[in-house]
């Protein structure tokens, strides 16, 4: 290690120890005594303000701001990684500025972590459980914000897509004035941790930027070097696309030059609950934002039974998280049900054998699986919700969480004369994500055209991040096509998988799995299912015998027209794996004659699986299929 690197390391370590010691030593006791989460965070902010004031002068630069990555791609660098411009800034400002900059992000992480710590402390107090629930759910009152009459860049929606667009705009236009309008009382944040890390006690920050990163909407037009402001608790209900005027729900008007629609979506509900009594509806919950997380987090500490409706990745993640949270917090009486009409979880994405295996692994987490059944009736009796299932059986639970998909928030398109996708929903846009001149669309609400897959609408975090980035670049003058392959990941207890491209269980598949504990990988340790029949039958040629008692590592290739269109990595991680999958998908036409088994060798972590023996009959049947 060179002298400069050693000096930098020592200074980073010093700053880290100083800030963590001061914060943990002085603030933990005060946070535990706070009555509600809002007062806890205000107490924390008061203690942080002195440190942040002298840090701000060194950190409030564009190159430093842009080093904070959004999203959670396992193949990207660490979220505090440096870009090239950031290293140049370090060289100019000295090693001390880097240490201070790093410390600032550590402070923001601690602020976000204390949100979870404060919640945990409050939920453990049985005497004040109901009062805490009411106070936590109330939004922090905001001062009346003066809305500017004109902004060059207007971003509708305060989610991941808008945040990525803002960063892209500011990179190309350093003096850009950007106004983000959101209907929540929070600044932009990352949603995936709400159903993943936070349920397992991981200290994960969810807000993309500290509060002092954003300016005041009223002062935005007068900023000489541009800036970003968030208008909270407001909703744009209509656009005059010709005169470029946005109409807000409070009667205000904002004139803009360029506009992005990134309104996301809202959770779907089921008619059986929508038409139920008010008592039942008070016990039925949807899950989408921070308030939903806080509500469900409170319920997990006050109820004895919860039913998750839906077998998708969100329902499965919440079921595993609740079961884990209950057992590890000593709530042994918490019973978690997961009810869905399919044979197994994630059946629309995973092949049948893998869906069955995943279902068994979720059972091991403590979830009571109720498959191939749907809710036909819901009644409230003896302070519980009685669910009558399709087979006539009944389940009594304290609360119900519905996770059956997302409805795009495309109401603004109806009032603004924008085209709506009749099949998929959402605002229709071209390959450059442009719906009309000077209007772009990104995120869950966008129905865009892909040169390979045709018209698509994807509801995943990574897609919202990449779409927002490209839309922001095009808003600032670029003319780029959206070619990013869809990507998402899910953590189900001890099992984790990543999906790239078009993954649909109705497609033909070819997979290879190896037990994780078998490092020698003998010939029999690899399994393959071959390619599915052309009639989309759920039966495979030779499905692998995955034992629920063992953990596996595997790769699943999805085929359409004899070309690879999607890949699932099962417990396969490591730098460059997702990038390798993207390259395989990009060159699928050139390598369609390549043995998928040989391709799988590129994706396993530290060893290459041996090719299993296949007799002539199986080989000939696969060639015919």
């Amino acid at each position: 290690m060179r002298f400069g690197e050693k000096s930098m390391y020592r200074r980073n370590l010093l700053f880290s120890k100083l800030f963590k010691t001061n914060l943990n030593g002085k603030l933990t006791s005060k946070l535990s005594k706070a009555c509600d989460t809002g007062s806890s965070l205000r107490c924390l902010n008061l203690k942080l303000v002195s440190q942040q004031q002298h840090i701000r002068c060194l950190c409030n630069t564009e190159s430093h701001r842009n080093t904070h990555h959004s999203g959670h791609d396992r193949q990207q660098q660490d979220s505090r990684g440096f870009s090239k411009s950031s290293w140049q800034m370090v060289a100019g400002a000295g090693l001390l500025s880097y240490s201070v900059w790093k410390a600032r992000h550590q402070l923001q992480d601690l602020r976000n972590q204390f949100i979870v710590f404060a919640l945990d402390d409050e939920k453990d107090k049985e005497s004040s459980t109901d009062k805490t629930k009411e106070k936590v759910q109330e939004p922090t009152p905001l001062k009346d914000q003066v809305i500017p009459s004109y902004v060059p860049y207007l971003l509708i929606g305060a989610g991941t897509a808008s945040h990525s667009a803002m960063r892209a705009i500011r990179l190309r236009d350093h003096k850009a004035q950007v106004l983000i309008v959101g209907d929540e009382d929070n600044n932009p944040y990352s949603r995936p941790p709400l159903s993943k890390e936070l349920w397992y006690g991981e200290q994960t920050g969810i807000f993309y930027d500290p509060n002092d990163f954003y300016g005041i909407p009223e002062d935005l037009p007068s900023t000489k070097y541009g800036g970003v402001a968030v208008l909270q608790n407001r909703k744009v209900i209509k656009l005059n696309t010709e005169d470029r005027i946005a109409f807000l729900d409070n009667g205000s008007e904002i004139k803009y030059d360029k506009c992005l629609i990134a309104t996301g979506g809202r959770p779907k509900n089921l008619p059986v609950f929508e038409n139920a009594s008010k008592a039942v509806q008070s016990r039925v919950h949807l899950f989408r934002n921070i308030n939903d997380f806080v509500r469900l987090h409170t319920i997990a500490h006050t109820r004895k039974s919860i039913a998750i409706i839906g077998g998708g990745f969100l329902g499965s993640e919440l079921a595993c998280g609740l079961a884990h949270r209950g057992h590890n917090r000593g709530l042994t009486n918490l019973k978690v049900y997961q009810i869905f009409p399919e044979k197994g979880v994630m059946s629309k994405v995973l092949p049948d054998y893998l869906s069955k295996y995943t279902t068994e692994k979720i059972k091991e987490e403590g979830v009571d699986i109720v498959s191939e059944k749907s809710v036909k009736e819901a009644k409230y009796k003896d302070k519980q919700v009685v669910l009558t299932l399709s087979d006539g059986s009944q389940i009594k639970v304290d609360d119900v969480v519905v996770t059956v998909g997302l409805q795009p928030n495309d109401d603004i398109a109806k009032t603004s004369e924008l085209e709506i996708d009749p099949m998929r929903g959402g605002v229709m846009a071209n390959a450059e994500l442009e719906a009309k001149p000077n209007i772009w669309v990104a995120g869950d609400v966008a129905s865009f055209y892909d040169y390979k897959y045709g018209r698509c609408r994807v509801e995943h975090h990574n897609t919202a991040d990449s779409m927002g980035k490209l839309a922001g670049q095009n808003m600032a003058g670029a003319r780029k096509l959206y070619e990013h392959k869809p990507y998402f990941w899910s953590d189900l207890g001890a099992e984790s998988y990543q999906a790239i491209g078009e993954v649909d269980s109705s497609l033909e598949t070819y997979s290879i799995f190896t037990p994780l504990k078998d490092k020698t990988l003998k010939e029999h340790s690899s399994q393959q299912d071959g390619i599915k029949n052309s009639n989309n039958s759920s039966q495979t040629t030779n499905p692998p015998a995955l034992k629920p008692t063992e953990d596996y590592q595997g790769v699943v290739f999805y085929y359409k027209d004899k070309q690879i269109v999607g890949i699932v990595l099962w417990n396969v991680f490591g730098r460059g794996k997702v990038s390798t999958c993207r390259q395989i998908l990009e060159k699928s036409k050139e390598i369609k004659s390549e043995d998928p088994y040989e391709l799988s060798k590129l994706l396993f972590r530290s060893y290459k699986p041996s090719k299993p023996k296949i007799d002539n009959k199986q080989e000939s049947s696969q060639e015919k299929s």
Side-chain angles (χ1 to χ4, degrees):
M1 183 181 293
R2 294 190 297 269
F3 174 77
E5 295 176 347
K6 185 180 296 185
S7 177
M8 180 183 294
Y9 172 78
R10 289 176 178 175
R11 293 188 180 186
N12 292 343
L13 185 61
L14 175 63
F15 268 78
S16 177
K17 288 183 177 180
L18 282 175
F19 282 110
K20 288 186 178 180
T21 302
N22 292 340
L23 287 172
N24 291 335
K26 295 181 180 179
L27 295 180
T28 305
S29 59
K30 292 190 176 183
L31 282 172
S32 62
K33 296 179 181 179
C35 297
D36 61 279
T37 307
S39 61
S40 299
L41 296 179
R42 286 193 292 273
C43 173
L44 179 61
N45 287 331
L46 289 176
K47 290 292 182 180
L48 294 177
V49 67
S50 60
Q51 288 93 338
Q52 289 184 348
Q53 284 179 350
H54 79 273
I55 291 174
R56 190 177 306 154
C57 62
L58 291 177
C59 301
N60 196 21
T61 61
E62 188 59 27
S63 59
H64 278 75
R65 292 175 181 177
N66 294 328
T67 59
H68 188 118
H69 296 278
S70 64
H72 176 81
D73 190 334
R74 295 180 183 272
Q75 305 308 314
Q76 292 179 353
Q77 295 181 352
D78 182 78
S79 60
R80 300 298 182 270
F82 269 81
S83 62
K84 182 177 180 180
S85 59
S86 297
W87 281 115
Q88 294 173 351
M89 176 62 68
V90 171
L95 298 174
L96 181 60
S97 71
Y98 165 71
S99 300
V100 175
W101 176 86
K102 188 73 173 179
R104 177 189 184 183
H105 287 289
Q106 292 173 348
L107 290 174
Q108 176 62 17
D109 284 343
L110 289 172
R111 179 198 284 116
N112 293 333
Q113 293 165 16
F114 273 108
I115 295 177
V116 182
F117 297 156
L119 288 175
D120 291 344
D121 293 338
E122 297 301 327
K123 307 307 176 296
D124 292 337
K125 299 178 181 179
E126 298 180 358
S127 59
S128 60
T129 299
D130 295 334
K131 295 181 180 179
T132 302
K133 176 183 176 183
E134 295 176 0
K135 292 182 179 181
V136 167
Q137 292 180 358
E138 292 180 0
T140 304
L142 297 173
K143 298 180 180 179
D144 294 334
Q145 295 177 307
V146 178
I147 302 175
S149 58
Y150 164 76
V151 290
Y153 295 95
L154 177 64
L155 310 183
I156 305 175
T160 296
S162 287
H163 182 266
S164 297
M166 174 270 294
R167 290 172 48 229
I169 292 172
R170 294 280 293 170
L171 274 175
R172 295 181 64 90
D173 185 356
H174 301 294
K175 295 184 179 181
Q177 299 170 348
V178 183
L179 178 64
I180 302 175
V181 181
D183 57 0
E184 295 186 44
D185 55 338
N186 295 293
N187 291 330
Y189 61 91
S190 176
R191 297 185 190 275
L194 300 180
S195 62
K196 293 181 174 68
E197 294 92 334
L198 294 182
W199 291 103
Y200 296 89
E202 296 186 19
Q203 301 175 7
T204 301
I206 64 173
F207 291 96
Y208 292 126
D209 302 295
N211 291 331
D212 59 356
F213 172 82
Y214 302 98
I216 302 175
E218 179 183 4
D219 299 337
L220 187 61
S222 60
T223 55
K224 181 178 180 180
Y225 298 103
V228 183
V230 178
L231 185 62
Q232 300 178 359
N233 293 320
R234 285 290 172 259
K235 185 177 181 180
V236 178
I237 59 176
K238 182 181 178 181
L239 292 176
N240 184 335
T241 57
E242 294 183 359
D243 298 334
R244 303 181 191 177
I245 301 176
F247 300 90
L248 276 64
D249 53 355
N250 65 344
S252 303
E253 299 180 5
I254 302 177
K255 192 172 181 61
Y256 63 87
D257 290 337
K258 297 178 181 180
C259 175
L260 173 69
I261 299 176
T263 49
R266 56 187 180 275
K268 293 181 180 178
N269 203 345
L270 294 175
V272 65
F273 298 116
E274 292 177 337
N275 301 327
S277 62
K278 292 184 178 180
V280 172
Q281 293 181 7
S282 65
R283 297 294 185 103
V284 177
H285 314 281
L286 305 178
F287 194 90
R288 178 64 175 171
N289 53 36
I290 292 179
N291 293 333
D292 298 332
F293 167 78
V294 174
R295 185 184 302 110
L296 188 57
H297 191 277
T298 306
I299 290 172
H301 289 73
T302 59
R303 305 290 197 250
K304 294 184 178 180
S305 57
I306 299 175
I308 307 293
I309 310 299
F313 72 93
L314 176 59
S316 300
E317 287 176 355
L318 288 178
C320 292
L322 285 168
H324 175 87
R325 193 71 173 173
H327 291 299
N328 286 271
R329 294 285 293 183
L331 306 176
T332 55
N333 293 328
L334 180 62
K335 184 72 172 178
V336 180
Y337 298 90
Q338 187 177 5
I339 306 172
F340 48 88
E342 297 83 12
K343 293 183 180 180
V345 298
M346 300 298 300
S347 61
K348 295 182 179 179
V349 174
L350 303 178
D352 289 345
Y353 65 88
L354 191 53
S355 174
K356 181 180 178 181
Y357 169 79
T358 307
T359 304
E360 295 298 324
K361 299 298 285 186
I362 292 179
K363 288 182 180 179
E364 293 181 1
E365 296 293 321
V367 181
D368 194 340
I369 298 292
V370 183
S371 59
E372 299 186 80
K373 296 179 179 63
S374 57
V375 179
K376 294 299 182 182
E377 188 179 21
K379 293 184 178 181
Y380 188 76
K381 183 179 180 181
D382 298 333
K383 297 183 179 181
Q384 283 189 314
V385 179
V386 181
L387 302 176
T388 302
L389 306 183
S390 54
D391 63 346
S393 60
Q394 291 184 341
I395 295 179
K396 297 181 180 180
V397 295
D398 294 326
D399 286 84
V400 179
V401 182
V402 181
T403 58
V404 292
L406 201 67
Q407 179 71 27
N409 287 328
D410 54 10
D411 296 337
I412 189 174
K414 302 174 183 177
T415 59
S416 307
E417 299 181 353
L418 299 175
E419 191 174 2
I420 297 178
D421 190 337
M423 294 181 59
R424 305 164 189 82
V427 184
M428 295 186 68
N430 58 20
E432 296 179 358
L433 305 181
E434 192 174 18
K436 267 190 175 183
N438 301 308
I439 296 180
W440 287 261
V441 190
D444 298 339
V445 74
S447 172
F448 61 96
Y449 180 79
D450 186 276
Y451 75 96
K452 186 172 183 179
Y453 302 115
R455 185 152 294 279
C456 306
R457 191 176 70 83
V458 183
E459 300 173 355
H460 290 301
H461 171 84
N462 182 265
T463 301
D465 180 45
S466 58
M467 292 182 72
K469 179 180 179 180
L470 185 128
Q473 292 173 346
N474 288 345
M475 292 174 72
R479 302 294 298 180
K480 297 182 179 180
L481 299 178
Y482 184 73
E483 301 175 344
H484 187 79
K485 299 295 182 296
Y487 166 87
F488 71 93
W489 79 100
S490 183
D491 299 325
L492 304 176
E495 304 297 317
S496 299
Y497 69 91
Q498 303 174 85
I500 308 97
E502 184 178 1
V503 288
D504 191 325
S505 59
S506 64
L507 297 175
E508 299 173 346
T509 61
Y510 187 106
S511 63
I512 296 177
F513 281 82
T514 61
L516 283 175
K517 66 180 182 180
D518 189 356
K519 298 301 180 181
T520 59
L521 287 179
K522 301 176 182 178
E523 278 191 21
H524 66 273
S525 64
S526 296
Q527 300 287 345
Q528 68 174 18
D529 65 331
I531 297 179
K532 285 188 176 182
N533 298 326
S534 57
N535 58 358
N536 293 336
S537 172
S538 61
Q539 301 297 325
T540 56
T541 306
N542 184 25
L546 302 181
K547 300 178 181 180
T549 56
E550 294 189 13
D551 296 324
Y552 293 88
Q553 182 184 45
V555 180
V556 182
F557 295 99
Y558 292 76
Y559 284 81
K560 178 186 286 186
D561 298 330
K562 298 182 180 181
Q563 296 181 20
I564 300 176
V565 296
I567 302 174
V568 166
L569 302 178
W570 192 267
N571 290 329
V572 176
F573 305 108
R575 183 179 299 274
K577 300 300 182 182
V578 172
S579 300
T580 302
C581 290
R582 295 189 186 280
Q583 293 177 9
I584 293 175
L585 297 178
E586 190 67 29
K587 300 179 181 180
S588 58
K589 290 184 179 180
E590 303 174 13
I591 62 175
K592 66 178 182 179
S593 60
E594 190 75 24
D595 186 356
Y597 183 85
E598 298 298 326
L599 293 176
S600 69
K601 295 179 180 179
L602 302 173
L603 301 172
F604 282 87
R605 179 168 50 189
S606 58
Y607 46 76
K608 298 180 180 180
S610 302
K611 188 170 183 178
K613 293 182 179 181
I614 305 177
D615 56 25
N616 295 331
K617 294 182 180 180
Q618 291 182 355
E619 197 168 17
S620 60
S621 63
Q622 289 181 7
E623 291 178 356
K624 291 181 180 179
S625 62

